[in-house]
Amino acid sequence: GAVVSQHPSWVICKSGTSVKIECRSLDFQATTMFWYRQFPKQSLMLMATSNEGSKATYEQGVEKDKFLINHASLTLSTLTVTSAHPEDSSFYICSARRPGTGTDTQYFGPGTRLTVL
Amino acid sequence: TQLLEQSPQFLSIQEGENLTVYCNSSSVFSSLQWYRQEPGEGPVLLVTVVTGGEVKKLKRLTFQFGDARKDSSLHITAAQPGDTGLYLCAGGGWTASKLTFGTGTRLQVTL
């Protein structure tokens, strides 16, 4: 299998605080992980590509100072939403690309619902 | 910018009916994935197709990758309530490992 976990599954925080979301590949090593954001009834929007041991690559329009990504090991990437505001409330999903598959197939975590009050 | 348009956006059918979801683009992709997502959960991979013209069958689901690698379709035979969900196609790039996601098709199957 290819199992990806996320923690926490949901979080409620006050405006101005920071929130960290963890993404782990449980049964494979992932040199590349991805962070997405999804608004209700919409498709996934790629925020950034997280590469183990190097800086993340952010998509156009995504503030790298607001959404801090760290990929410290081959099985863990973290997304920190800094100084969160209500407009940051969303469903955040990570995925991991399994090496050696020869395709761009990604395996997704269960998502984290962030609500900023 | 690569875009993947899915149609229809929303489909409500009764159990036992057949349906087809389309995924179209003007761009050529190295591979095409289909995912299904249920509310409050992450997308679950259904299939990956990598060869133009490829057809894959998984029980009641048939996936096709267009000859030109620009489009794909998902056909469901005898839909069941358990098929309800958001169906997403995603195209793989040639130089980067990131995926381009389609606009999504929300399927509702009722008894």
Side-chain angles (χ1 to χ4, degrees):
Chain A
V3 182
V4 177
S5 71
Q6 271 183 251
H7 179 79
S9 54
W10 60 269
V11 57
I12 301 172
C13 69
K14 291 183 179 179
S15 187
T17 59
S18 294
V19 174
K20 181 186 281 188
I21 303 170
E22 292 186 348
C23 177
R24 294 181 186 273
S25 56
L26 299 183
D27 54 355
F28 66 99
Q29 293 184 327
T31 53
T32 306
M33 290 184 172
F34 304 86
W35 286 97
Y36 294 84
R37 186 172 179 176
Q38 186 177 34
F39 291 105
K41 302 192 178 186
Q42 292 189 22
S43 186
L44 276 66
M45 183 189 78
L46 179 65
M47 298 175 66
T49 302
S50 172
N51 301 296
E52 188 267 336
S54 65
K55 290 184 180 179
T57 304
Y58 290 82
E59 295 299 300
Q60 194 171 9
V62 178
E63 298 176 60
K64 61 180 180 182
D65 294 329
K66 179 164 187 63
F67 298 99
L68 300 179
I69 292 172
N70 185 278
H71 195 152
S73 76
L74 287 172
T75 59
L76 173 64
S77 176
T78 61
L79 168 68
T80 301
V81 183
T82 62
S83 187
H85 288 97
E87 57 265 29
D88 299 324
S89 297
S90 191
F91 193 51
Y92 292 87
I93 313 174
C94 73
S95 71
R97 180 169 175 263
R98 187 168 192 166
T101 59
T103 69
D104 296 313
T105 298
Q106 294 177 19
Y107 296 89
F108 285 83
T112 297
R113 182 156 304 281
L114 169 64
T115 301
V116 185
L117 302 176
Chain B
T1 303
Q2 297 176 314
L3 291 173
L4 271 169
E5 294 285 338
Q6 285 184 237
S7 61
Q9 286 185 315
F10 181 76
L11 192 56
S12 181
I13 61 172
Q14 290 192 315
E15 184 180 21
E17 291 185 33
N18 302 332
L19 67 117
T20 302
V21 178
Y22 299 94
C23 173
N24 294 295
S25 176
S26 58
S27 301
V28 178
F29 294 99
S30 62
S31 64
L32 204 294
Q33 286 81 37
W34 282 93
Y35 295 86
R36 187 177 83 204
Q37 184 182 24
E38 299 193 32
E41 298 180 12
V44 175
L45 178 69
L46 297 175
V47 78
T48 298
V49 284
V50 296
T51 306
E54 183 176 0
V55 177
K56 274 192 177 178
K57 270 198 92 162
L58 297 173
K59 297 184 181 179
R60 295 179 293 103
L61 277 60
T62 302
F63 305 86
Q64 184 164 9
F65 198 12
D67 291 340
R69 313 171 76 101
K70 294 182 179 181
D71 54 85
S72 180
S73 64
L74 158 61
H75 182 79
I76 301 178
T77 304
Q80 299 176 359
D83 296 328
T84 294
L86 176 66
Y87 287 82
L88 295 162
C89 65
W94 294 96
T95 57
S97 58
K98 63 183 183 181
L99 294 175
T100 298
F101 272 86
T103 47
T105 295
R106 193 164 295 278
L107 172 64
Q108 184 174 315
V109 183
T110 56
L111 293 170

